[in-house]
Amino acid sequence: MSLTIKLQITNNLNLKLGTIKKSAYTSYSTKIRHKPIYHSNPLISTVYKPTMHVDGSSSSSFSIKSSLIDPDGGTLVDLVVPESERAKKKSEAEAMPKVRLTKVDIEWVHVISEGWASPLRGFMRESEYLHSLHFNCLRMKDGSVANMSLPIVLAIDDETKERIGSSPNVGLVGPDGDLVGILRSIEIYKHHKEERTARTWGTTAPGLPYVEEVITPAGNWLVGGDLEVLDPIKYNDGLDHYRLSPKQLRKEFDKRQADAVFAFQLRNPVHNGHALLMNDTRTRLLEMGYRNPILLLHPLGGFTKADDVPLDVRMEQHSKVLEDGVLDPETTIVAIFPSPMHYAGPTEVQWHAKARINAGANFYIVGRDPAGMGHPTEKRDLYNPDHGKKVLSMAPGLEKLNILPFKVAAYDTLEKKMAFFDPSRAKDFLFISGTKMRTYARNGENPPEGFMCPGGWKVLVNYYEGLQAEEASQQQAVLTT
Amino acid sequence: MSLTIKLQITNNLNLKLGTIKKSAYTSYSTKIRHKPIYHSNPLISTVYKPTMHVDGSSSSSFSIKSSLIDPDGGTLVDLVVPESERAKKKSEAEAMPKVRLTKVDIEWVHVISEGWASPLRGFMRESEYLHSLHFNCLRMKDGSVANMSLPIVLAIDDETKERIGSSPNVGLVGPDGDLVGILRSIEIYKHHKEERTARTWGTTAPGLPYVEEVITPAGNWLVGGDLEVLDPIKYNDGLDHYRLSPKQLRKEFDKRQADAVFAFQLRNPVHNGHALLMNDTRTRLLEMGYRNPILLLHPLGGFTKADDVPLDVRMEQHSKVLEDGVLDPETTIVAIFPSPMHYAGPTEVQWHAKARINAGANFYIVGRDPAGMGHPTEKRDLYNPDHGKKVLSMAPGLEKLNILPFKVAAYDTLEKKMAFFDPSRAKDFLFISGTKMRTYARNGENPPEGFMCPGGWKVLVNYYEGLQAEEASQQQAVLTT
């Protein structure tokens, strides 16, 4: 029996909160009837959870919850082999036919192994692939549905397929030749690239970054199976400490005694419009009765397109935003979401939201044109900018997540600060897109005062200066050779 | 409480029956526990139907069922205005801004108005469109799901949109200028043709018949709303008596006291392979304990591609097949399914199945590559031929329909008849595709003996002879002018 509270909040800042569902696990709120009971371990709260039985009768039982929202499928998937078994599994894997992984494949291994894609336990077999491609979800054995909008698949070429032959298991080898994991009880099926692209992106126009760089060069077969990862995936790029797994995040939320976690997905530097929105969301949640809402500032860390700001620069910029006090470190957790980026708009935003359920967030902020980009061959947005939040609100399997749509923030030239766009005085507002922001930084121009905290802006300017110096020296090198 | 019987039938003819679900309404079967109780009206059976209440307790109630399977949404949609109200509604419609319909639009008006698309009550508004496009289903207010894999939409151009202005209702006008219906509480939204095509067909390659002939020439806006049809849609082509509505079909099944109805969708002439399959299905159903399974032979009657055999010829051919005794008229109903054809494979086959639920069929036969065609620009099938039945078996909202997949039938050159393909003696079998069959008929060649009943074959030969004579006279006309 979950407790459903319907709230329709009107506010001056145009933050539109829809119907808010609050599960019985949101135990700190004064509005919740069932009081939590704590174990001696402060990270684990034992929440009184009435259970609905199959016969329809309702009885009470105690269950241990380490978080605010159940992972999809009920249990967080964890496919990293325990240390004690690694040596044995490694020698077992050595004897299997090998599949060589690309950098992006490794990112997916990372994603699957830590349970971001729970209940998925490996690269998709054909049934899961078809479920995902046609219905954007997986159906569990008990009839329930988990959202799964992107096919998470591993491509192999004809030669690899032949090498595998009828072997039921394969060893997975990283780009550097290191043994990464095992895929068991495999199934090999055709990689229909055109259909996959059309159904995932809603276009097959040339110039989609993930398609051009990942799908087109990939093999004509897909191999699905149950994944085991021999060692936790590390990148050794100085950012691994930011790569908290869903399990670690859930623990952290409990440690901080969060009673609401709101996730903000981004792949761009944080400007003051983002900050306004995140801070405003926190205020709204406090007004709703939550006592300790925690922000998960969750930049995407996998594959991005060439002209996006690189991850290390973004992480440095995000640090400055917290240092400069634009966001409150006390109530913010910054971590990296290890998924590659598809730029697949309404289809991908479901993945972004779903993965955050598994990480323990029960609120998800969604803005204009999430995961969108310009049409690769036409002068327009690839997606209707409103479709992302609409599709998110209707997506099967995301019902338990509270979706927080917001109106777009823009630079208010009267107030000289970022503010929610007010259509009644549209001419006072300046829209500064990611592209425009990057152009400012690239040209060494300053954006309008109040657009971004100075420390954060400096990081970007330095990055582009370095990039230009590098480009100049490369041009010089070309000219002199 | 529905009664679920799991049957896995092995048979010599390779007809693979999967898990068979039998609802409590299948009341004639000896295997059903609850005995039906009949009213004096033999067309309406009152079936003892235990009802599951929300609190989970089970109590008994009586409900009147005029068919074997509930329509989607519980009630069959019927949007034809009662005769008594027509004059009033017509004069009301006269005063509204008008939308001019194409021939295919009229086919959709027909489909929607008779409830084939239940619970859809008009052309889709944006929310329904997005549900359909992304998730292949609609979600009801009670949380249940109805399958809806094709967007059923009405396109208008900029000029029409402007003419409508802010009017909440529009009058619908047929290609000949006759007033057809009303669309109320309308919503106008962008027609993203590329995205619609990509997500529906899984390709945007040029040469998709429905895209080229219907979508590309259509306007850049879609108008959704609640439909009212002023007169039942008639075509006056001598075939209207075959166009039984879902309501009429359900009545007919009751009149015949069917305890199972198995639907066969087709858009080609019936050959003996089809007949084998249909007769074999009947045998299997009898073996399962059904006493009076009825075949719904249900050719598609709307838009088809130019080289398909026209509807009137197909209907004549189907008549001959019954006359020649290949199918038993006693246990067969031939009717026209008024939908246009998309040739959208796994996405469209869901629509074909879903519409037959609404028509009262509780079994649906699906073969190789349903609703498929050759890739328009590449030398291959557009769809993986197995995906249709796989996707159908996992489609949300189709759980209550019994899907009957079958292996392909081919001409057995040893037995000199159509038979289920036996891979152990593959060389004895001859595959005669629709294209090949049409080529035979066009060239005046006879197909192998036993491929099709002579009466049916003659219809085809006559059609192609007539077509060639016409083409010749047209060429002559071109030459002499």
Side-chain angles (χ1 to χ4, degrees), chain A residues 52 55-57 126-131 133-137 139 147 190 192 194-205 344 346-347 350 375 377-378 380 382-384 386-387 390-397 399, chain B residues 52 54-57 126-131 133-137 139 147 190 192 194-196 198-205 344 346-347 350 375 377-378 380 382-384 386-387 390-397 399:
Chain A
M52 185 66 84
D55 66 2
S57 68
E126 194 186 38
S127 167
E128 293 159 328
Y129 172 75
L130 290 174
H131 268 100
L133 204 62
H134 287 273
F135 310 115
N136 283 203
C137 58
R139 199 185 303 204
N147 190 268
K190 276 290 278 182
H192 296 286
E194 182 190 51
E195 185 181 16
R196 177 184 171 194
T197 302
R199 294 197 195 276
T200 304
W201 278 269
T203 178
T204 58
T347 301
Q350 299 171 63
H375 193 287
T377 59
E378 299 172 24
R380 61 173 177 95
L382 176 51
Y383 303 105
N384 181 322
D386 290 331
H387 280 188
K390 288 181 181 170
V391 166
L392 200 55
S393 74
M394 53 180 76
E399 299 82 1
Chain B
M52 184 66 82
V54 180
D55 66 1
S57 68
E126 194 186 39
S127 166
E128 292 159 331
Y129 171 74
L130 290 174
H131 268 101
L133 203 62
H134 287 273
F135 309 115
N136 283 203
C137 59
R139 199 186 303 204
N147 190 269
K190 277 289 279 182
H192 296 284
E194 182 192 49
E195 185 182 14
R196 177 183 172 195
R199 295 197 194 276
T200 305
W201 278 269
T203 179
T204 58
T347 300
Q350 297 172 64
H375 192 287
T377 59
E378 298 170 25
R380 59 174 177 96
L382 177 51
Y383 302 106
N384 181 320
D386 290 331
H387 281 187
K390 287 180 182 173
V391 167
L392 200 56
S393 74
M394 55 180 76
E399 299 82 0

Side-chain angles (χ1 to χ4, degrees), chain B residues 246-266:
Chain B
K247 195 157 110 188
Q248 289 170 317
L249 284 169
R250 284 172 168 261
K251 271 198 184 153
E252 185 62 28
F253 300 145
D254 285 337
K255 195 174 125 195
R256 299 210 190 186
Q257 304 205 322
D259 59 354
V261 174
F262 57 112
F264 190 72
Q265 142 77 29
L266 75 171

